[in-house]
Structure formats: C-alpha cells, structure tokens
Amino acid sequence: MSCCFCFSGDKLSPEERKGKYGDAWGQYADNENNFRVKLCGAPCAEPCCWMGSMICFPCAQYKLRHMALNHAEPGSGWSNYTCCQSMFGGCCCIQPGNLGEENCPQACMCLEGCCCPGMAVSASQGMVMQQYGLGLDEDDVRIIRCNNCLQVLACMASILNICIDFDGDDAVVGIINAIADIVFCCVSGCMTARTYHEIKEREKEAPEKYRMER
C-alpha cells in the first residue's frame, strides 16, 4: 500500500465532488470528526472481519448492512433498507426504493452485495458517517484516489488491448487487472472492518439502548 503515499491527502477538490459518487462522499469531506481507527489500521483492529469480508464479500456486506440499519434504529430489522441506502441515486427505471426492497429486502441486499460490491460497502459506511458526522482523513483520501486510479488504468488497458495487438499484451492487461482487483478487495475489506469496528465500539458505550430495543 506504499504506493498510496504518491497520492495527495488533501481534501477532495470541487471536481472530485461531482457526479453521483462524488456527491455521496463530498458531503462528508469537510467533517472534522474521524473514525476511531484509520483505514490502514482496520485490518489490525478487526482482523477476522477484514479477512472474512475478502473471502465472502456478499455475506460480509449483508451482515454489515443489517448491523448498520439496526444501529441507526435498533430493532428495525430490514424495514429501512433500500438499494445502496439511496446514496447514489438511480438510473432510468432502476431507482432505489422501487426495486422490491419492501417485499424482499434480504434478497435485494444479497444482489446488491454481489452486483454492486463497491457501492454496498460505501453505503453501509456512509450510514455511520452520516449518523455521527464523520469525515475523511488523509489516509482515506489517498487510498480512495489510489484505488480509483488503478480501476481507471485497468479499464483503459482492457480497452487498448482490444484496439492494439502486441506480444504479451494479454499478460500485461491481466497483471494490471489483477493488481486493481487485489487493491479493491483490500480497500473494501478495510472499509468493512472499520465500519464494523465503529459500530461495535459505539454500541459498547451505550449497551442498554441496543440490548433493550433489540
């Protein structure tokens, strides 16, 4: 992860706050409060959660979203669930809240975790950030920028591979895609572990509230 330090840790610029994903994270960029552990420290704080989320990502996101929903409103079960918690809006006829979540929230969450893994973990983390006014620290910004850069690089390499043919091109593209996938899995695992840790520690501070209402 040392390559992350090549990227700036400055707050998100106005350009980076544009678009659905930028809008979703931009609202937290100026918050001064931070998570109890940094993104890089999440694997040490919650090693089992970090490893488990990378082994079975959809299962981890299912569990994390249920925790986040019932942390925000104890005893609510899945009643407040919508696809990606409506953080990223929709597209054409695909609109959060109109996808059958009310009737089959658990099945919808399973599909969300499988089909939209990045948005799934971001939505759960966003719920906690919104509830406690948490922001992005320098490490967060660096890692997010590094991950985004690798995803764009992998996409461009795949497109160029279709247009340009040279010896070893498939191997080069395969390596770039593998690196991007590994970084994505690690970063998503860190986000999962950190959100899980934050919820767990917050509930330790007020155990009666959650014990009584669950």
Side-chain angles (χ1 to χ4, degrees):
M1 300 293 285
S2 58
C3 62
C4 293
F5 292 100
C6 298
F7 294 83
S8 171
D10 295 340
K11 290 184 177 181
L12 299 179
S13 66
E15 289 297 320
E16 291 175 307
R17 301 187 192 197
K18 292 181 178 179
K20 290 183 178 180
Y21 206 76
D23 286 340
W25 287 118
Q27 60 183 312
Y28 309 118
D30 296 324
N31 292 347
E32 296 299 328
N33 298 324
N34 292 317
F35 282 89
R36 294 167 188 243
V37 295
K38 290 182 176 291
L39 204 57
C40 292
C44 295
E46 298 290 346
C48 293
C49 180
W50 179 66
M51 289 187 290
S53 67
M54 292 190 291
I55 293 171
C56 188
F57 192 81
C59 296
Q61 298 318 307
Y62 180 95
K63 172 66 175 177
L64 185 66
R65 184 66 57 80
H66 188 261
M67 285 184 66
L69 287 167
N70 287 273
H71 179 71
E73 189 174 333
S76 62
W78 291 94
S79 60
N80 294 325
Y81 169 78
T82 59
C83 181
C84 299
Q85 296 309 120
S86 305
M87 275 188 65
F88 306 103
C91 179
C92 299
C93 61
I94 303 175
Q95 297 294 332
N98 298 321
L99 300 173
E101 300 102 314
E102 186 175 346
N103 297 322
C104 304
Q106 293 161 297
C108 290
M109 182 60 226
C110 290
L111 287 173
E112 180 188 325
C114 292
C115 302
C116 312
M119 290 184 177
V121 65
S122 294
S124 297
Q125 177 175 278
M127 287 185 66
V128 177
M129 294 175 75
Q130 185 175 34
Q131 185 173 358
Y132 295 109
L134 304 178
L136 303 172
D137 60 33
E138 291 183 358
D139 288 349
D140 292 340
V141 176
R142 285 194 181 97
I143 292 172
I144 290 170
R145 284 172 174 159
C146 177
N147 179 63
N148 291 346
C149 182
L150 285 171
Q151 300 305 320
V152 171
L153 179 61
C155 182
M156 292 177 61
S158 297
I159 294 172
L160 288 174
N161 188 36
I162 299 173
C163 304
I164 303 173
D165 188 24
F166 62 91
D167 291 340
D169 56 345
D170 290 336
V172 171
V173 173
I175 291 171
I176 293 174
N177 282 325
I179 293 172
D181 289 343
I182 290 170
V183 171
F184 174 80
C185 286
C186 289
V187 173
S188 298
C190 288
M191 291 172 68
T192 302
R194 183 172 68 170
T195 304
Y196 172 80
H197 181 78
E198 189 72 24
I199 293 173
K200 188 176 73 172
E201 292 301 310
R202 295 275 183 177
E203 292 189 358
K204 283 182 181 178
E205 294 177 355
E208 295 80 7
K209 173 184 176 183
Y210 296 97
R211 189 182 301 120
M212 289 174 62
E213 298 195 41
R214 283 179 180 173

